[in-house]
Amino acid sequence: MIDVVIAGAGPNGLMLACELALAGARPLVLERLTAPSGERRANGLVGQVVRMLDRRGLYERLTSPGATPEPAPGFVFGAFPLDLRDLPDNPLYTLPVPQLRLQQMLAERAGELGIEVRRGHEVTGFTQSENSVRVELRDREPVEASFLVGADGGHSVVRKLAGIDFPGVTTDDAVSLSAEVSLPPEAVGAGGGLIVPGFGVLPPFQHVRTERGMIAWAPFPDRNPAITTTEWERPEEGEASLGELRASVARVLGADLPLGPPAGEGPHLIRRLAGGNTRLASRYRADRVFLLGDAAHVHSAIGGPGLNLGLQDAVNLGWKLAAELRGDAPAGLLDTYESERRPAARRVTTHTQAQSLLIRPGGDVTALREIFGEMLALPAARRHIADVLSGAEITYDMGSATGPLTGRWAPDLPGLRELTRGARPLLLDPTGELDPGPWAPHIDTVKIPELDSALLLRPDCYVAWQGTTGEGLQEALATWIRAA
């Protein structure tokens, strides 16, 4: 019998499959599409997931051999530029890589780990028993697994079949246009800004809000540049076109741009999106069925938090499912997937809704932005926003364990990126004298004299225990890592 069937071969489903395989489990990925979609979606990664990929040895696969993440000097929040250069221990990391490339890399990694991905396999139903899930497929024989995970997107079939509610709000008054374009060389300044006569300069990779809408200019280094506009109370008619985008730019900026068709062979991005959804699954689990990524939460793409949230879901769920499959998971471990990750999703839906309000036109929003802008001049406020955007503010309840880092994602420590590639629990001991007792065969213990205190890290790199003596260590091991 298969250990875990994962419905959906997008980045989140593939990441979960890789995490399961690292922990010794046998996943099977089922994908409805017969070939990867060429649809252009996310343009990069934002937040802790950048360093998480590095800790699994995947960051350099998307960049260059030997490359390591560096904090971003700036970002954007609700169309406000966010200067992060003066922040000590800046938590916000970015990686400008197209989602298609990320998905390709994860598929390659899955192949290296011996993970089977079956395309053209559409889930149509399932039935659960005490010890397994029988997954029904369209025009194919059913498969049986210990667990089923729905990583099949915002319209998740698995979620619907499980009877899990997806409450939230739908907005229908905004229309966004995005397209790859070409522009005269003289229109782009030395720093990548777009020179717009009659308006000024559009900075690269930032949202700019006017009293008539919002616009973003993205001069990608390895492909055609793109422009996105958002307007409110505009009708949508027919197929999206470059002419429609030109007209939208003129309305938002009050100035014309000489936009031309993109260079090279297509298909090229040209897309219109009307309205949006913010929804959060009422629960992440129905017995042996779990939800992951967009199947559990959808929200505005503003600020690019989606992959940070979904891939971190995968890292959280993977080691817990594997422990359950081995038969040595502590009591209630699987329930902590929802109790830890659903609040994280709630936080993302909150800040994306806040940003969506801040970019709207109107005098009342302008007044709000004036006050908000004054607050962002304060380093403490900018640090708070950076923590929110990156997910660095997220902490988990580690029970009776104490210490300033307990419950937090482990900071970068000497050698940590090499030590965490195998997705095993880690005991980082400055003395080399701590005794993990009967848990010793199931964790990696490493002496790091530079540390002020010992740290016990879960496979997802969260600190489960911190101390200078062994007090509480075995209790933490019993709670999180493995039943003795």
Side-chain angles (χ1 to χ4, degrees):
M1 185 170 64
I2 297 162
D3 286 338
V4 182
V5 164
I6 302 169
N12 298 321
L14 290 171
M15 187 71 180
L16 174 62
C18 291
E19 290 292 300
L20 286 164
L22 285 175
R26 178 171 168 253
L28 169 65
V29 181
L30 303 178
E31 171 55 54
R32 177 180 59 85
L33 299 177
T34 57
S37 170
E39 182 184 0
R40 301 285 180 87
R41 303 189 71 181
N43 292 309
L45 300 171
V46 180
Q48 285 177 296
V49 70
V50 177
R51 287 189 288 172
M52 190 69 241
L53 290 177
D54 186 48
R55 292 183 182 180
R56 292 294 190 256
L58 303 176
Y59 177 85
E60 58 185 336
R61 295 184 180 218
L62 297 169
T63 52
S64 59
T68 57
E70 296 291 337
F75 201 63
V76 64
F77 182 88
F80 282 98
L82 198 61
D83 189 352
L84 306 174
R85 291 171 296 180
D86 63 340
L87 296 186
D89 192 24
N90 176 3
L92 190 63
Y93 288 70
T94 61
L95 176 58
V97 59
Q99 181 170 323
L100 290 174
R101 174 66 190 113
L102 171 67
Q103 188 167 318
Q104 179 188 32
M105 182 276 290
L106 289 173
E108 293 168 356
R109 178 59 173 153
E112 294 169 4
L113 293 170
I115 297 166
E116 184 180 2
V117 178
R118 298 180 187 173
R119 290 194 166 274
H121 285 59
E122 181 181 357
V123 175
T124 58
F126 64 79
T127 55
Q128 299 196 59
S129 65
E130 183 179 355
N131 298 312
S132 66
V133 184
R134 179 183 171 90
V135 183
E136 305 291 337
L137 304 172
R138 186 178 304 281
D139 300 326
R140 298 182 184 274
E141 291 297 314
V143 294
E144 190 169 5
S146 296
F147 295 99
L148 168 64
V149 178
D152 49 346
H155 298 287
S156 171
V157 170
V158 172
R159 185 189 65 241
K160 294 172 183 176
L161 290 171
I164 297 176
D165 293 335
F166 205 36
V169 296
T170 298
T171 58
D172 57 6
D173 60 344
V175 175
S176 293
L177 290 165
S178 299
E180 295 178 50
V181 298
S182 63
L183 286 152
E186 62 271 16
V188 182
L194 184 58
I195 302 168
V196 185
F199 175 81
V201 177
L202 284 177
F205 302 108
Q206 290 196 19
H207 298 119
V208 174
R209 181 244 185 205
T210 74
E211 288 292 348
R212 297 167 297 277
M214 190 186 71
I215 186 168
W217 155 245
F220 297 114
D222 55 352
R223 58 192 192 276
N224 286 304
I227 286 180
T228 296
T229 64
T230 303
E231 296 182 89
W232 284 261
E233 307 298 342
R234 297 291 309 182
E236 49 167 325
E237 299 176 357
E239 296 292 326
S241 68
L242 192 59
E244 183 183 9
L245 180 62
R246 288 194 200 100
S248 179
V249 169
R251 288 191 297 268
V252 171
L253 296 181
D256 290 317
L257 265 179
L259 302 180
E265 296 183 3
H268 298 298
L269 170 68
I270 183 163
R271 180 175 61 208
R272 183 201 298 121
L273 296 176
N277 284 292
T278 297
R279 298 190 177 278
L280 180 60
S282 59
R283 51 197 171 105
Y284 279 23
R285 179 184 184 183
D287 298 323
R288 291 185 167 270
V289 177
F290 293 81
L291 301 180
L292 174 70
D294 288 355
H297 41 69
V298 296
H299 47 78
S300 168
I302 191 167
L307 286 171
N308 187 36
L309 184 59
L311 293 173
Q312 293 276 52
D313 288 348
V315 175
N316 187 288
L317 181 59
W319 69 274
K320 296 174 181 178
L321 278 176
E324 187 73 20
L325 287 161
R326 290 193 304 265
D328 53 37
L333 182 66
L334 281 181
D335 291 332
T336 66
Y337 170 59
E338 178 178 320
S339 65
E340 291 181 346
R341 295 308 299 166
R342 194 170 183 275
R346 173 72 70 186
R347 191 62 170 160
V348 169
T349 60
T350 296
H351 81 67
T352 53
Q353 284 179 304
Q355 291 188 73
S356 297
L357 288 174
L358 285 168
I359 66 174
R360 294 179 69 95
D364 51 349
V365 176
T366 300
L368 175 63
R369 289 180 62 84
E370 181 176 342
I371 299 299
F372 198 85
E374 293 171 2
M375 294 173 61
L376 288 183
L378 304 173
R382 281 182 281 116
R383 174 60 196 236
H384 176 70
I385 295 296
D387 284 343
V388 169
L389 291 173
S390 67
E393 64 162 358
I394 298 297
T395 60
Y396 297 151
D397 181 4
M398 296 294 171
S400 60
T402 60
L405 292 179
T406 302
R408 296 185 176 275
W409 202 65
D412 291 329
L413 300 167
L416 191 58
R417 64 193 297 264
E418 288 77 24
L419 294 172
T420 53
R421 294 191 176 186
R424 281 174 55 83
L426 279 175
L427 177 59
L428 307 179
D429 179 7
T431 67
E433 299 176 356
L434 290 175
D435 179 17
W439 288 270
H442 312 300
I443 66 174
D444 293 335
T445 301
V446 183
K447 183 178 179 179
I448 302 183
E450 297 90 340
L451 294 180
D452 295 328
S453 61
L455 299 173
L456 175 65
L457 305 189
R458 305 186 325 183
D460 58 0
C461 293
Y462 275 80
V463 179
W465 170 87
Q466 180 177 8
T468 54
T469 68
E471 182 180 358
L473 172 59
Q474 293 198 11
E475 182 181 354
L477 285 165
T479 301
W480 291 106
I481 303 306
R482 187 180 175 104

